[in-house]
Amino acid sequence: MSGNSWTRREFFRRSAIAGAVALGGPALLSACTQTSTGGAGAGGTLERARSAGTMKVGIANEAPYGFTDSTGKVTGESVEVGRAVLKNLGINDIQATTVDFGSLIPALNANQFDMVTAGMFINAQRCQNAAFSTPDYTAPTAFLVPTGNPDGVSTFEDIKNKNLRLAVLSGAVEQGYAQKSGVPDSQIQVFDSQNTLLQAVTADRVDAAALTNISLNDVVAKNPGSNVEVTKGFFPTIDGKQTVSAGAFVFRKADTDLVNAFNGELTKLHQSGQWLQIVTPFGFTQDNLPGADVTTEKLCAAA
Ligand SMILES: CC1=N[C@H](C(=O)O)[C@@H](O)CN1
């Protein structure tokens, strides 16, 4: 490369940056700089989303956490709380991508989107591959069973002891809850969506399906006449310890500044009462607000 051509190229690069500053001010310059340095470093994702005015989010189409409704609107408890937090961070829009629940963290790390708004629970295994916000909510587990609960299911031990067939969602925590409660794999069937779980129960391919009671209540409400009901919610006891099932927002590990900024605004929403207003239409109550003793640090460290 000749000295002259390098000088010309540097001249054009500097002119382009000067133009960017003139047109878009510091925010645009910041976006240009982030792109030129790869964008995923400290500050990159937050600044890029601010500059673009939108955040790319991942959902699993599980209602009422993160789903596309009958009008085509992407909504849900996690989506709407996420929207409110992002708005307070100067990001007024979201663009959602739907993947299977078990693909949310791999897709996040492959940069298909920049955060997960699917109500994902915090646990040690997931914390190895992603960063979680402070807990957003807690929700008990329950079973979807035929009306009248003919097998008398109320815990994973019942599934094991009565030799029942159980449906779980691929990549969700309930499979682990069942296995750790001693349910053999031969009794567990894995499905890829809420709807296929419902169909498995109504077609008598399984005796029960496990998910959060909030998710199953939504299924029952949206499918009247399906002859199914939801058992009483519970927090499974595993290895003598009661599980803490707390959902949060998920980010790439490198995006520390985004996580910190997000946590600051999420805490304000929880404390101001705005959180309750946002989540009530999705079947959440004050009981779903995590206690002060429920922390991401503890849940990531739990065995
Ligand atoms: C919102 C949600 N949370 C649990 C999980 O994180 O695995 C599962 O119940 C699947 N859906």
mmCIF file of all heavy atoms in Angstrom, residues 60 62-66 78 101 104 118-123 126 132 137 139-141 169-175 177 210-213 215 245-248 284, ligand 1:
data_model
loop_
_atom_site.group_PDB
_atom_site.id
_atom_site.type_symbol
_atom_site.label_atom_id
_atom_site.label_comp_id
_atom_site.label_asym_id
_atom_site.label_seq_id
_atom_site.Cartn_x
_atom_site.Cartn_y
_atom_site.Cartn_z
ATOM 1 N N ALA A 60 -40.050 -17.021 23.466
ATOM 2 C CA ALA A 60 -40.276 -18.440 23.121
ATOM 3 C C ALA A 60 -41.735 -18.683 22.771
ATOM 4 O O ALA A 60 -42.171 -19.826 22.715
ATOM 5 C CB ALA A 60 -39.834 -19.324 24.271
ATOM 6 N N GLU A 62 -44.239 -18.286 24.643
ATOM 7 C CA GLU A 62 -44.937 -18.898 25.777
ATOM 8 C C GLU A 62 -45.745 -17.788 26.462
ATOM 9 O O GLU A 62 -45.192 -16.854 27.033
ATOM 10 C CB GLU A 62 -43.951 -19.523 26.778
ATOM 11 C CG GLU A 62 -44.691 -20.227 27.924
ATOM 12 C CD GLU A 62 -43.793 -20.661 29.076
ATOM 13 O OE1 GLU A 62 -42.588 -20.356 29.069
ATOM 14 O OE2 GLU A 62 -44.335 -21.286 30.007
ATOM 15 N N ALA A 63 -47.082 -17.931 26.390
ATOM 16 C CA ALA A 63 -47.952 -16.941 27.039
ATOM 17 C C ALA A 63 -48.133 -17.334 28.508
ATOM 18 O O ALA A 63 -48.198 -18.525 28.808
ATOM 19 C CB ALA A 63 -49.304 -16.928 26.334
ATOM 20 N N PRO A 64 -48.207 -16.377 29.414
ATOM 21 C CA PRO A 64 -48.245 -14.941 29.171
ATOM 22 C C PRO A 64 -46.906 -14.249 29.415
ATOM 23 O O PRO A 64 -46.871 -13.107 29.842
ATOM 24 C CB PRO A 64 -49.267 -14.477 30.218
ATOM 25 C CG PRO A 64 -48.950 -15.344 31.415
ATOM 26 C CD PRO A 64 -48.497 -16.674 30.845
ATOM 27 N N TYR A 65 -45.776 -14.932 29.120
ATOM 28 C CA TYR A 65 -44.457 -14.328 29.396
ATOM 29 C C TYR A 65 -43.974 -13.481 28.220
ATOM 30 O O TYR A 65 -43.723 -12.288 28.374
ATOM 31 C CB TYR A 65 -43.443 -15.428 29.730
ATOM 32 C CG TYR A 65 -43.775 -16.146 31.013
ATOM 33 C CD1 TYR A 65 -44.342 -17.418 31.008
ATOM 34 C CD2 TYR A 65 -43.539 -15.542 32.242
ATOM 35 C CE1 TYR A 65 -44.656 -18.064 32.191
ATOM 36 C CE2 TYR A 65 -43.852 -16.181 33.434
ATOM 37 C CZ TYR A 65 -44.414 -17.442 33.398
ATOM 38 O OH TYR A 65 -44.730 -18.064 34.581
ATOM 39 N N GLY A 66 -43.847 -14.127 27.035
ATOM 40 C CA GLY A 66 -43.407 -13.414 25.846
ATOM 41 C C GLY A 66 -44.018 -14.122 24.650
ATOM 42 O O GLY A 66 -43.668 -15.270 24.369
ATOM 43 N N SER A 78 -43.089 -10.486 30.585
ATOM 44 C CA SER A 78 -41.665 -10.176 30.465
ATOM 45 C C SER A 78 -41.423 -9.120 29.385
ATOM 46 O O SER A 78 -40.598 -8.220 29.555
ATOM 47 C CB SER A 78 -40.910 -11.474 30.148
ATOM 48 O OG SER A 78 -39.540 -11.261 30.149
ATOM 49 N N PHE A 101 -37.851 -22.552 23.512
ATOM 50 C CA PHE A 101 -37.362 -22.141 24.828
ATOM 51 C C PHE A 101 -35.888 -22.546 25.034
ATOM 52 O O PHE A 101 -35.073 -21.754 25.497
ATOM 53 C CB PHE A 101 -38.253 -22.739 25.929
ATOM 54 C CG PHE A 101 -38.131 -22.002 27.214
ATOM 55 C CD1 PHE A 101 -38.951 -20.920 27.494
ATOM 56 C CD2 PHE A 101 -37.172 -22.362 28.148
ATOM 57 C CE1 PHE A 101 -38.817 -20.198 28.681
ATOM 58 C CE2 PHE A 101 -37.036 -21.650 29.339
ATOM 59 C CZ PHE A 101 -37.861 -20.582 29.597
ATOM 60 N N LEU A 104 -33.084 -20.241 23.522
ATOM 61 C CA LEU A 104 -33.005 -18.806 23.845
ATOM 62 C C LEU A 104 -31.565 -18.372 24.163
ATOM 63 O O LEU A 104 -31.081 -17.376 23.599
ATOM 64 C CB LEU A 104 -33.931 -18.488 25.028
ATOM 65 C CG LEU A 104 -35.437 -18.440 24.693
ATOM 66 C CD1 LEU A 104 -36.277 -18.487 25.966
ATOM 67 C CD2 LEU A 104 -35.781 -17.199 23.870
ATOM 68 N N ALA A 118 -38.447 -13.724 28.162
ATOM 69 C CA ALA A 118 -39.284 -14.922 28.114
ATOM 70 C C ALA A 118 -39.598 -15.448 29.513
ATOM 71 O O ALA A 118 -40.101 -16.557 29.658
ATOM 72 C CB ALA A 118 -38.582 -16.005 27.301
ATOM 73 N N GLY A 119 -39.271 -14.661 30.537
ATOM 74 C CA GLY A 119 -39.550 -15.098 31.912
ATOM 75 C C GLY A 119 -38.650 -16.223 32.383
ATOM 76 O O GLY A 119 -39.011 -16.987 33.277
ATOM 77 N N MET A 120 -37.471 -16.324 31.791
ATOM 78 C CA MET A 120 -36.598 -17.478 32.077
ATOM 79 C C MET A 120 -36.117 -17.487 33.531
ATOM 80 O O MET A 120 -35.690 -16.453 34.061
ATOM 81 C CB MET A 120 -35.410 -17.408 31.124
ATOM 82 C CG MET A 120 -34.568 -18.636 31.119
ATOM 83 S SD MET A 120 -33.310 -18.539 29.831
ATOM 84 C CE MET A 120 -33.804 -19.915 28.837
ATOM 85 N N PHE A 121 -36.198 -18.662 34.158
ATOM 86 C CA PHE A 121 -35.752 -18.791 35.554
ATOM 87 C C PHE A 121 -34.225 -18.721 35.636
ATOM 88 O O PHE A 121 -33.519 -19.183 34.737
ATOM 89 C CB PHE A 121 -36.168 -20.149 36.135
ATOM 90 C CG PHE A 121 -37.641 -20.288 36.420
ATOM 91 C CD1 PHE A 121 -38.145 -21.509 36.868
ATOM 92 C CD2 PHE A 121 -38.529 -19.244 36.267
ATOM 93 C CE1 PHE A 121 -39.489 -21.678 37.135
ATOM 94 C CE2 PHE A 121 -39.880 -19.390 36.528
ATOM 95 C CZ PHE A 121 -40.359 -20.620 36.967
ATOM 96 N N ILE A 122 -33.778 -18.190 36.755
ATOM 97 C CA ILE A 122 -32.333 -18.114 37.020
ATOM 98 C C ILE A 122 -31.899 -19.431 37.651
ATOM 99 O O ILE A 122 -32.474 -19.842 38.666
ATOM 100 C CB ILE A 122 -32.030 -16.976 38.026
ATOM 101 C CG1 ILE A 122 -32.668 -15.661 37.565
ATOM 102 C CG2 ILE A 122 -30.536 -16.830 38.250
ATOM 103 C CD1 ILE A 122 -32.748 -14.592 38.665
ATOM 104 N N ASN A 123 -30.917 -20.115 37.054
ATOM 105 C CA ASN A 123 -30.334 -21.267 37.747
ATOM 106 C C ASN A 123 -28.848 -21.388 37.399
ATOM 107 O O ASN A 123 -28.359 -20.737 36.469
ATOM 108 C CB ASN A 123 -31.119 -22.568 37.497
ATOM 109 C CG ASN A 123 -31.039 -23.069 36.072
ATOM 110 O OD1 ASN A 123 -30.067 -22.796 35.357
ATOM 111 N ND2 ASN A 123 -32.053 -23.807 35.648
ATOM 112 N N ARG A 126 -27.711 -22.269 33.764
ATOM 113 C CA ARG A 126 -27.891 -21.175 32.796
ATOM 114 C C ARG A 126 -26.913 -20.035 33.052
ATOM 115 O O ARG A 126 -26.467 -19.364 32.114
ATOM 116 C CB ARG A 126 -29.336 -20.683 32.847
ATOM 117 C CG ARG A 126 -30.321 -21.703 32.300
ATOM 118 C CD ARG A 126 -31.757 -21.300 32.557
ATOM 119 N NE ARG A 126 -32.696 -22.263 31.986
ATOM 120 C CZ ARG A 126 -33.994 -22.279 32.227
ATOM 121 N NH1 ARG A 126 -34.527 -21.371 33.037
ATOM 122 N NH2 ARG A 126 -34.772 -23.186 31.676
ATOM 123 N N PHE A 132 -27.899 -12.843 34.133
ATOM 124 C CA PHE A 132 -29.311 -12.623 34.460
ATOM 125 C C PHE A 132 -29.485 -11.294 35.176
ATOM 126 O O PHE A 132 -28.634 -10.885 35.974
ATOM 127 C CB PHE A 132 -29.828 -13.762 35.349
ATOM 128 C CG PHE A 132 -30.135 -15.026 34.583
ATOM 129 C CD1 PHE A 132 -29.109 -15.875 34.189
ATOM 130 C CD2 PHE A 132 -31.438 -15.342 34.223
ATOM 131 C CE1 PHE A 132 -29.379 -17.029 33.459
ATOM 132 C CE2 PHE A 132 -31.717 -16.494 33.499
ATOM 133 C CZ PHE A 132 -30.692 -17.340 33.119
ATOM 134 N N TYR A 137 -39.722 -11.907 38.953
ATOM 135 C CA TYR A 137 -40.934 -12.483 39.562
ATOM 136 C C TYR A 137 -40.603 -13.886 40.052
ATOM 137 O O TYR A 137 -39.573 -14.474 39.658
ATOM 138 C CB TYR A 137 -42.070 -12.553 38.509
ATOM 139 C CG TYR A 137 -41.844 -13.653 37.498
ATOM 140 C CD1 TYR A 137 -42.385 -14.927 37.695
ATOM 141 C CD2 TYR A 137 -41.031 -13.460 36.381
ATOM 142 C CE1 TYR A 137 -42.132 -15.968 36.807
ATOM 143 C CE2 TYR A 137 -40.784 -14.484 35.488
ATOM 144 C CZ TYR A 137 -41.334 -15.730 35.710
ATOM 145 O OH TYR A 137 -41.075 -16.760 34.847
ATOM 146 N N ALA A 139 -42.685 -17.767 40.469
ATOM 147 C CA ALA A 139 -43.938 -18.448 40.114
ATOM 148 C C ALA A 139 -43.833 -19.929 40.452
ATOM 149 O O ALA A 139 -42.819 -20.564 40.161
ATOM 150 C CB ALA A 139 -44.229 -18.288 38.628
ATOM 151 N N PRO A 140 -44.884 -20.470 41.061
ATOM 152 C CA PRO A 140 -44.875 -21.894 41.376
ATOM 153 C C PRO A 140 -45.080 -22.778 40.161
ATOM 154 O O PRO A 140 -45.586 -22.336 39.128
ATOM 155 C CB PRO A 140 -46.040 -22.046 42.361
ATOM 156 C CG PRO A 140 -46.859 -20.826 42.244
ATOM 157 C CD PRO A 140 -46.072 -19.766 41.533
ATOM 158 N N THR A 141 -44.698 -24.027 40.332
ATOM 159 C CA THR A 141 -44.919 -25.064 39.318
ATOM 160 C C THR A 141 -46.309 -25.659 39.527
ATOM 161 O O THR A 141 -46.823 -25.660 40.646
ATOM 162 C CB THR A 141 -43.866 -26.175 39.518
ATOM 163 O OG1 THR A 141 -42.576 -25.595 39.393
ATOM 164 C CG2 THR A 141 -44.010 -27.296 38.505
ATOM 165 N N LEU A 169 -41.693 -29.102 28.725
ATOM 166 C CA LEU A 169 -41.305 -28.240 27.604
ATOM 167 C C LEU A 169 -39.793 -28.370 27.390
ATOM 168 O O LEU A 169 -39.015 -28.294 28.354
ATOM 169 C CB LEU A 169 -41.679 -26.788 27.940
ATOM 170 C CG LEU A 169 -41.423 -25.732 26.881
ATOM 171 C CD1 LEU A 169 -42.354 -25.926 25.671
ATOM 172 C CD2 LEU A 169 -41.639 -24.333 27.467
ATOM 173 N N SER A 170 -39.400 -28.505 26.134
ATOM 174 C CA SER A 170 -37.980 -28.662 25.803
ATOM 175 C C SER A 170 -37.149 -27.487 26.340
ATOM 176 O O SER A 170 -37.477 -26.330 26.088
ATOM 177 C CB SER A 170 -37.867 -28.724 24.277
ATOM 178 O OG SER A 170 -36.537 -28.712 23.899
ATOM 179 N N GLY A 171 -36.095 -27.800 27.065
ATOM 180 C CA GLY A 171 -35.187 -26.763 27.570
ATOM 181 C C GLY A 171 -35.676 -26.031 28.800
ATOM 182 O O GLY A 171 -35.004 -25.126 29.297
ATOM 183 N N ALA A 172 -36.850 -26.393 29.319
ATOM 184 C CA ALA A 172 -37.399 -25.712 30.499
ATOM 185 C C ALA A 172 -37.010 -26.479 31.773
ATOM 186 O O ALA A 172 -36.589 -27.638 31.709
ATOM 187 C CB ALA A 172 -38.910 -25.586 30.369
ATOM 188 N N VAL A 173 -37.172 -25.822 32.909
ATOM 189 C CA VAL A 173 -36.669 -26.394 34.171
ATOM 190 C C VAL A 173 -37.412 -27.646 34.639
ATOM 191 O O VAL A 173 -36.869 -28.445 35.399
ATOM 192 C CB VAL A 173 -36.732 -25.362 35.332
ATOM 193 C CG1 VAL A 173 -35.765 -24.222 35.106
ATOM 194 C CG2 VAL A 173 -38.148 -24.866 35.558
ATOM 195 N N GLU A 174 -38.661 -27.822 34.190
ATOM 196 C CA GLU A 174 -39.485 -28.889 34.763
ATOM 197 C C GLU A 174 -38.913 -30.282 34.500
ATOM 198 O O GLU A 174 -39.091 -31.188 35.317
ATOM 199 C CB GLU A 174 -40.926 -28.798 34.253
ATOM 200 C CG GLU A 174 -41.693 -27.584 34.771
ATOM 201 C CD GLU A 174 -41.376 -26.291 34.039
ATOM 202 O OE1 GLU A 174 -40.727 -26.355 32.958
ATOM 203 O OE2 GLU A 174 -41.777 -25.212 34.526
ATOM 204 N N GLN A 175 -38.190 -30.442 33.380
ATOM 205 C CA GLN A 175 -37.593 -31.763 33.108
ATOM 206 C C GLN A 175 -36.584 -32.098 34.216
ATOM 207 O O GLN A 175 -36.566 -33.214 34.745
ATOM 208 C CB GLN A 175 -36.913 -31.778 31.732
ATOM 209 C CG GLN A 175 -36.365 -33.159 31.387
ATOM 210 C CD GLN A 175 -35.938 -33.289 29.932
ATOM 211 O OE1 GLN A 175 -35.935 -32.298 29.174
ATOM 212 N NE2 GLN A 175 -35.600 -34.494 29.522
ATOM 213 N N TYR A 177 -36.542 -30.770 37.253
ATOM 214 C CA TYR A 177 -37.285 -30.965 38.509
ATOM 215 C C TYR A 177 -37.769 -32.417 38.594
ATOM 216 O O TYR A 177 -37.669 -33.063 39.639
ATOM 217 C CB TYR A 177 -38.515 -30.051 38.573
ATOM 218 C CG TYR A 177 -38.265 -28.564 38.776
ATOM 219 C CD1 TYR A 177 -39.317 -27.647 38.624
ATOM 220 C CD2 TYR A 177 -37.024 -28.058 39.139
ATOM 221 C CE1 TYR A 177 -39.134 -26.284 38.809
ATOM 222 C CE2 TYR A 177 -36.838 -26.688 39.320
ATOM 223 C CZ TYR A 177 -37.898 -25.811 39.151
ATOM 224 O OH TYR A 177 -37.717 -24.462 39.344
ATOM 225 N N ALA A 210 -46.158 -30.443 32.985
ATOM 226 C CA ALA A 210 -45.656 -29.527 34.025
ATOM 227 C C ALA A 210 -45.136 -28.233 33.423
ATOM 228 O O ALA A 210 -44.401 -28.247 32.432
ATOM 229 C CB ALA A 210 -44.536 -30.210 34.809
ATOM 230 N N LEU A 211 -45.543 -27.121 34.038
ATOM 231 C CA LEU A 211 -45.035 -25.776 33.694
ATOM 232 C C LEU A 211 -45.353 -24.883 34.893
ATOM 233 O O LEU A 211 -45.891 -25.369 35.899
ATOM 234 C CB LEU A 211 -45.747 -25.219 32.460
ATOM 235 C CG LEU A 211 -45.157 -25.432 31.056
ATOM 236 C CD1 LEU A 211 -46.022 -24.698 30.035
ATOM 237 C CD2 LEU A 211 -43.709 -24.934 30.949
ATOM 238 N N THR A 212 -45.112 -23.577 34.770
ATOM 239 C CA THR A 212 -45.555 -22.693 35.856
ATOM 240 C C THR A 212 -47.088 -22.651 35.870
ATOM 241 O O THR A 212 -47.724 -22.809 34.817
ATOM 242 C CB THR A 212 -45.040 -21.251 35.665
ATOM 243 O OG1 THR A 212 -45.544 -20.732 34.447
ATOM 244 C CG2 THR A 212 -43.525 -21.187 35.685
ATOM 245 N N ASN A 213 -47.656 -22.405 37.050
ATOM 246 C CA ASN A 213 -49.130 -22.328 37.097
ATOM 247 C C ASN A 213 -49.632 -21.148 36.265
ATOM 248 O O ASN A 213 -50.701 -21.214 35.665
ATOM 249 C CB ASN A 213 -49.646 -22.291 38.544
ATOM 250 C CG ASN A 213 -49.288 -21.013 39.291
ATOM 251 O OD1 ASN A 213 -48.446 -20.229 38.848
ATOM 252 N ND2 ASN A 213 -49.903 -20.805 40.435
ATOM 253 N N SER A 215 -48.442 -20.042 33.396
ATOM 254 C CA SER A 215 -48.478 -20.466 32.000
ATOM 255 C C SER A 215 -49.658 -21.410 31.745
ATOM 256 O O SER A 215 -50.386 -21.268 30.749
ATOM 257 C CB SER A 215 -47.146 -21.173 31.698
ATOM 258 O OG SER A 215 -47.010 -21.484 30.368
ATOM 259 N N SER A 245 -38.146 -20.561 42.296
ATOM 260 C CA SER A 245 -38.351 -20.445 40.853
ATOM 261 C C SER A 245 -38.567 -18.980 40.516
ATOM 262 O O SER A 245 -39.680 -18.465 40.602
ATOM 263 C CB SER A 245 -39.563 -21.277 40.441
ATOM 264 O OG SER A 245 -39.408 -22.608 40.870
ATOM 265 N N ALA A 246 -37.477 -18.311 40.158
ATOM 266 C CA ALA A 246 -37.533 -16.867 39.916
ATOM 267 C C ALA A 246 -37.117 -16.564 38.486
ATOM 268 O O ALA A 246 -36.044 -16.979 38.034
ATOM 269 C CB ALA A 246 -36.628 -16.139 40.892
ATOM 270 N N GLY A 247 -37.960 -15.824 37.776
ATOM 271 C CA GLY A 247 -37.676 -15.481 36.385
ATOM 272 C C GLY A 247 -37.012 -14.126 36.267
ATOM 273 O O GLY A 247 -37.208 -13.238 37.119
ATOM 274 N N ALA A 248 -36.241 -13.966 35.194
ATOM 275 C CA ALA A 248 -35.498 -12.711 35.012
ATOM 276 C C ALA A 248 -35.252 -12.475 33.525
ATOM 277 O O ALA A 248 -35.662 -13.270 32.676
ATOM 278 C CB ALA A 248 -34.175 -12.789 35.767
ATOM 279 N N PHE A 284 -50.517 -12.057 36.921
ATOM 280 C CA PHE A 284 -49.574 -11.965 38.043
ATOM 281 C C PHE A 284 -50.200 -11.112 39.148
ATOM 282 O O PHE A 284 -51.014 -10.230 38.871
ATOM 283 C CB PHE A 284 -48.263 -11.307 37.595
ATOM 284 C CG PHE A 284 -47.413 -12.145 36.686
ATOM 285 C CD1 PHE A 284 -47.846 -12.467 35.408
ATOM 286 C CD2 PHE A 284 -46.177 -12.612 37.089
ATOM 287 C CE1 PHE A 284 -47.072 -13.248 34.557
ATOM 288 C CE2 PHE A 284 -45.390 -13.386 36.250
ATOM 289 C CZ PHE A 284 -45.835 -13.701 34.984
HETATM 290 C C1 LIG B 1 -41.215 -18.869 31.863
HETATM 291 C C2 LIG B 1 -40.694 -20.248 32.038
HETATM 292 N N1 LIG B 1 -39.897 -20.530 33.016
HETATM 293 C C3 LIG B 1 -39.421 -21.859 33.258
HETATM 294 C C4 LIG B 1 -37.951 -21.969 32.869
HETATM 295 O O1 LIG B 1 -37.271 -20.967 32.966
HETATM 296 O O2 LIG B 1 -37.492 -23.034 32.493
HETATM 297 C C5 LIG B 1 -40.272 -22.901 32.574
HETATM 298 O O3 LIG B 1 -41.465 -23.018 33.289
HETATM 299 C C6 LIG B 1 -40.582 -22.516 31.148
HETATM 300 N N2 LIG B 1 -41.117 -21.152 31.156
#
